[in-house]
Amino acid sequence: MRKKPFVVCLMDGMGIEDAKSYAIYDSSVMPTLDALTNRYLFASLATSGNGVGLSAEAAATKEQGYLNIGAGSIVKQSIEILNEKLEQNTFFNSEALKLVTDHVINNDSKLHLITLLGDKYSEDSPSHLRKMVEYCTKIGIKKIYLHLYLGANNNSLSKTFPKYTANIHRILNLYPNVKISIIAGIKHLKDSSGITVTKELYKITVGGIGEHWINYNEAVDSNYKRKNLEENIVPFMVAEDGLIENTDGVFLFNYENDLGSVYTDLLIQPAKYMYTNNNNINIKIASLFPLQNQTTVSCLNYEPVRTSFYNTLNQNGIKHILIAEKDNIPYINYYFNGCNNIQ
């Protein structure tokens, strides 16, 4: 019997509505798709939450979707790796975290917690922040400053900050030793944004040069009125005593890969990037996951993808060809090949 070709077709933006508010598969709307799904094997995939390695209510990006399909199994994302460690009560035993907290306690200095807020991480990131504050307060850290980066959303037009202010207020009310230092758009923390953007962030977090607001809700509203997308919100300082100073400690909740390497490197060795006479830096920095620079330590590692769609085909002697939009071929290749950078 002659083998017939098998096609895997990935369609971004397609979904099946439970409510059936719009008959997307009706033959009058999409006759070809309707015929294919009726004639051939057809099934739906879970594209959010636990089905793609995220927490229960979290929405996935298309990158996470490709990664799970390419691996042929559920790949735990960063947020779930941390959730699991917290549930097992093992996270706070990390040597990397202890390095920073001991440094702060010994110097009677400040601890700066950098985290992301947005629908991509839902209630998880504020929950992680609260647990970290609780732990650090319990071990004797007196001064904790929050650095909140907005725009961790799947939709860049989302305005999510008002949804999470109650969680932040709860932390501030429960722990008098906690203040908000900086609020900014996530773009300013991304390594791909360029050194100019990172320098602007450095100037306000270390030197206090930039916008200062007492009422942070008004500051965010002001950015909305200026047509700044949430990810582009101009960094502003809330607590005047919240600067990152020489003997302070910093912890970065880097749930995303392209996040914080350049900024944290700049904090420790500013002379590498800009003219300064300040070479006597004694700041300790730790992150959730490894950063590209060599100046920080990390608490956790990403779990490697052990299988891939391509490997499975190759191991079974199945010839295959990838057909995709020209600019997306390397992109899909990367996820289908188990995140291996090969030509």
Side-chain angles (χ1 to χ4, degrees):
M1 182 177 175
R2 187 174 65 87
K3 292 181 180 179
K4 295 182 179 180
F6 181 82
V7 177
V8 175
C9 181
L10 300 178
M11 298 182 290
D12 286 343
M14 293 294 293
I16 301 174
E17 289 185 294
D18 292 333
K20 302 295 182 185
S21 60
Y22 185 72
I24 194 68
Y25 294 105
D26 186 271
S27 59
S28 63
V29 180
M30 290 186 172
T32 303
L33 184 60
D34 180 68
L36 290 172
T37 55
N38 281 308
R39 182 177 176 184
Y40 298 105
L41 291 174
F42 177 74
S44 60
L45 294 172
T47 57
S48 63
N50 300 141
V52 288
L54 296 167
S55 54
E57 302 300 323
T61 63
K62 64 182 179 181
E63 290 92 344
Q64 290 162 343
Y66 284 147
L67 178 59
N68 279 266
I69 293 173
S73 62
I74 295 173
V75 180
K76 283 184 184 176
Q77 307 296 315
S78 59
I79 203 89
E80 268 304 277
I81 295 173
L82 176 56
N83 283 339
E84 188 175 88
K85 296 296 182 183
L86 288 170
E87 288 171 9
Q88 295 169 349
N89 294 317
T90 58
F91 175 72
F92 293 114
N93 297 330
S94 165
E95 288 298 320
L97 177 59
K98 190 174 186 298
L99 179 73
V100 172
T101 54
D102 284 354
H103 175 78
V104 171
I105 292 170
N106 293 336
N107 287 280
D108 191 24
S109 57
K110 295 174 286 187
L111 175 65
H112 302 267
L113 301 178
I114 299 174
T115 195
L116 315 180
L117 293 180
D119 283 343
K120 191 183 291 186
Y121 304 112
S122 189
E123 302 296 330
D124 282 309
S125 59
S127 172
H128 298 162
L129 190 63
R130 181 184 58 77
K131 289 175 181 177
M132 179 69 87
V133 166
E134 180 183 0
Y135 168 76
C136 292
T137 301
K138 187 183 297 182
I139 63 174
I141 294 179
K142 301 172 184 176
K143 294 170 283 188
I144 300 175
Y145 290 84
L146 309 182
H147 297 236
L148 309 176
Y149 288 83
L150 316 184
N153 305 313
N154 291 329
N155 180 358
S156 62
L157 298 178
S158 296
K159 297 178 180 179
T160 59
F161 184 60
K163 295 167 62 173
Y164 300 105
T165 50
N167 293 308
I168 302 303
H169 281 309
R170 193 172 296 115
I171 294 173
L172 298 176
N173 290 334
L174 285 172
Y175 302 96
N177 59 324
V178 178
K179 296 180 182 179
I180 295 176
S181 172
I182 295 291
I183 296 179
I186 192 175
K187 176 183 176 182
H188 297 86
L189 201 60
K190 284 187 174 291
D191 301 330
S192 57
S193 297
I195 189 61
T196 302
V197 174
T198 310
K199 284 180 180 178
E200 290 305 311
L201 181 61
Y202 176 84
K203 286 177 182 177
I204 190 165
T205 54
V206 175
I209 302 170
E211 293 188 16
H212 292 238
W213 291 76
I214 297 174
N215 188 315
Y216 51 83
N217 285 311
E218 288 181 1
V220 173
D221 285 339
S222 170
N223 273 273
Y224 289 158
K225 290 173 183 176
R226 282 181 266 172
K227 308 297 183 184
N228 288 333
L229 297 175
E230 201 159 75
E231 62 190 25
N232 297 324
I233 283 177
V234 177
F236 62 88
M237 177 158 280
V238 180
E240 296 295 326
D241 57 349
L243 295 177
I244 298 177
E245 297 181 297
N246 198 33
T247 57
D248 288 352
V250 176
F251 187 86
L252 170 63
F253 286 91
N254 59 325
Y255 301 114
E256 301 181 16
N257 285 327
D258 181 30
L259 200 70
S261 284
V262 176
Y263 175 63
T264 53
D265 200 31
L266 183 58
L267 288 176
I268 293 178
Q269 41 186 0
K272 178 179 174 181
Y273 299 92
M274 55 201 297
Y275 177 76
T276 175
N277 292 321
N278 188 5
N279 293 312
N280 187 27
I281 306 294
N282 189 26
I283 296 172
K284 297 296 182 187
I285 303 178
S287 58
L288 270 182
F289 298 96
L291 297 173
Q292 293 176 5
N293 64 52
Q294 302 298 314
T295 54
T296 59
V297 292
S298 62
C299 298
L300 304 171
N301 286 308
Y302 287 106
E303 294 186 354
V305 176
R306 303 189 185 282
T307 60
S308 74
F309 186 73
Y310 278 172
N311 287 343
T312 301
L313 294 177
N314 288 331
Q315 288 167 6
N316 287 277
I318 301 172
K319 293 180 180 179
H320 50 279
I321 185 171
L322 176 68
I323 303 174
E325 295 177 49
K326 183 179 178 182
D327 59 339
N328 283 346
I329 289 176
Y331 174 79
I332 297 176
N333 246 325
Y334 178 73
Y335 288 102
F336 265 38
N337 202 45
C339 300
N340 292 316
N341 284 308
I342 63 169
Q343 195 67 30

